[in-house]
Every structure is written in C-alpha cells, then in structure tokens.
Amino acid sequence: MSAKHASETPAGKTKKFGKGERQIPHHSQKAKKYYPAEDEVKPKKVRKTIHPAKPRATLQPGTILILLAGRFRGKRVVLLKHLPQGILLVTGPFKVNGVPLRRVNARYVIATSAKVELKGIDSKTVEKVGGEGYFAREKKEEKKGEEAFFKQGEKPEKKPVASARASDQKAVDKALLSNIKSEPHLLEYLRSSFSLRKGDRPHEMKW
C-alpha cells in the first residue's frame, strides 16, 4: 500500500479493555448492515465452443434415407444437401410419397445402401432452398376483439402453399424423377413406408 493511499483512509480508534487494547475501525470501513433482498444476476461465462457438425460417412448426397421422427416418419426420402449444425435437406420426391422439400435432423434418419443420381438438378434452386430464411414462418396479425372471440372454437384455416415453394419443388423433383425412373424398382421402393413387425431385429438388418 502506498503512503498516499494510507493517508487518505480514515484512521480508527484504539480502546483499552482491561489489560488489552482493541482497534476499532472507522465507520466508513465497517461492514454494511443492509444487504439487498435479491442477489444481483451476473451473466454466466460460457466456456463451451461450438464445433461444426461432422456428417456421417454414410450420409452422402443422393442417399435414400428413412425418417425416424416427425410427421413423415417411416417415409423414404432422398438426401439433397448438408446444412449447418447437422441438418439435412431432403425431398420425397413429393409426387412419389408426399414428402416435400424439408429439413430434418441427421440424428433421426437411417442411411440405406440405395442411392439416386442427382444429375440434372438445378444447383441454384437447391442453394436457394437451403438458405436460412427459406423455411421461416410468416408473422400473422393477431385478431382482437369480438372476431377473435367467436373464432376460438372453429377449425384453423389451411395455409395456402406459396407459389414460389411449389415451383421450387417441381424444379427439383422433375430432374430427380427422371433419374429414379431409370432405376428398376426404385420408384416402388420410395413409395413404400418402413415399419418394424414382431420378431424383426433392426440391429441385424442390412440397410
């Protein structure tokens, strides 16, 4: 401690108690008697670093996958592209099994040994569909008042498919369908759904 700092701090008092002495600090140096009722929230330091997701070796573009979760579980789809954070861009095609262009988590798919050639597919359309804002939901205007009150029990209206999405779906599926039809039994394979029956052993199956 410097001499200047020592001179600035107020000195305490020395009191005698019998044979001994006791140093009483200055009132400005005493501990506070009042404490806040709620603790001050301090931001936690996150030490984890986000590592880029490493795709499995079996998940190559053109591979036929089996979906294990979601609305289309059990359906067979074609892998088009890898997206950031372990997300995959897939399609049914829609005309074959009703699965549109959508994103799925790589953890909830099984990669099969079957593959489809991706020749002729417009790469610009695939890049557009794989963009960040393509699957973003449109913000709705909340209805207030009597109109919102009387529409509580009604069935929700069906969302119309955007014409841009429909054209992108057709552009991707057109080239993909011609490649699928060139392979024997591949169209029927994509139309069929995967399911397990009693006695099936998935760990012994060859995908």
Side-chain angles (χ1 to χ4, degrees):
M1 187 183 290
S2 63
K4 186 180 179 182
H5 183 71
S7 62
E8 288 177 359
T9 54
K13 296 179 181 179
T14 305
K15 283 191 176 182
K16 291 183 179 181
F17 294 94
K19 295 180 180 179
E21 292 183 354
R22 184 178 175 186
Q23 188 76 20
I24 298 173
H26 193 264
H27 66 85
S28 61
Q29 296 177 340
K30 288 182 181 179
K32 293 180 180 179
K33 293 182 179 179
Y34 169 77
Y35 293 94
E38 296 179 0
D39 296 332
E40 293 181 4
V41 180
K42 294 182 180 179
K44 292 182 179 179
K45 292 182 180 179
V46 180
R47 296 180 180 177
K48 293 180 180 179
T49 54
I50 299 171
H51 298 284
K54 293 182 180 178
R56 283 178 273 167
T58 52
L59 297 176
Q60 298 298 326
T63 306
I64 294 177
L65 311 175
I66 298 171
L67 302 180
L68 300 178
R71 180 184 169 189
F72 299 101
R73 59 183 175 274
K75 296 283 188 179
R76 292 178 170 91
V77 294
V78 180
L79 172 60
L80 297 175
K81 186 188 174 185
H82 288 277
L83 300 178
Q85 298 179 358
I87 305 298
L88 308 174
L89 180 65
V90 299
T91 184
F94 182 76
K95 204 171 183 179
V96 176
N97 52 22
V99 182
L101 286 161
R102 63 188 290 110
R103 298 171 299 176
V104 295
N105 195 320
R107 294 182 179 183
Y108 302 108
V109 298
I110 296 174
T112 65
S113 56
K115 284 191 175 184
V116 180
E117 288 289 334
L118 298 180
K119 291 178 181 178
I121 295 176
D122 189 9
S123 58
K124 289 182 180 179
T125 306
V126 176
E127 287 290 331
K128 177 187 170 185
V129 175
E132 290 183 5
Y134 188 83
F135 291 99
R137 292 183 180 180
E138 295 179 359
K139 291 183 179 179
K140 285 185 175 181
E141 293 181 2
E142 293 184 0
K143 295 179 180 179
K144 296 180 181 180
E146 293 181 4
E147 190 179 352
F149 178 78
F150 287 110
K151 284 193 174 183
Q152 285 180 356
E154 295 180 7
K155 291 182 179 179
E157 296 177 1
K158 288 186 177 181
K159 296 178 183 178
V161 180
S163 57
R165 283 201 183 186
S167 60
D168 292 338
Q169 183 76 57
K170 288 176 182 178
V172 172
D173 289 359
K174 187 178 180 181
L176 198 60
L177 277 168
S178 61
N179 296 336
I180 291 168
K181 288 175 181 177
S182 62
E183 295 288 333
H185 309 297
L186 193 57
L187 194 66
E188 290 79 11
Y189 178 69
L190 284 166
R191 278 177 180 163
S192 62
S193 296
F194 171 79
S195 61
L196 289 173
R197 296 180 182 179
K198 189 177 180 181
D200 288 343
R201 299 177 179 179
H203 59 282
E204 293 182 358
M205 291 181 180
K206 186 180 178 181
W207 305 98

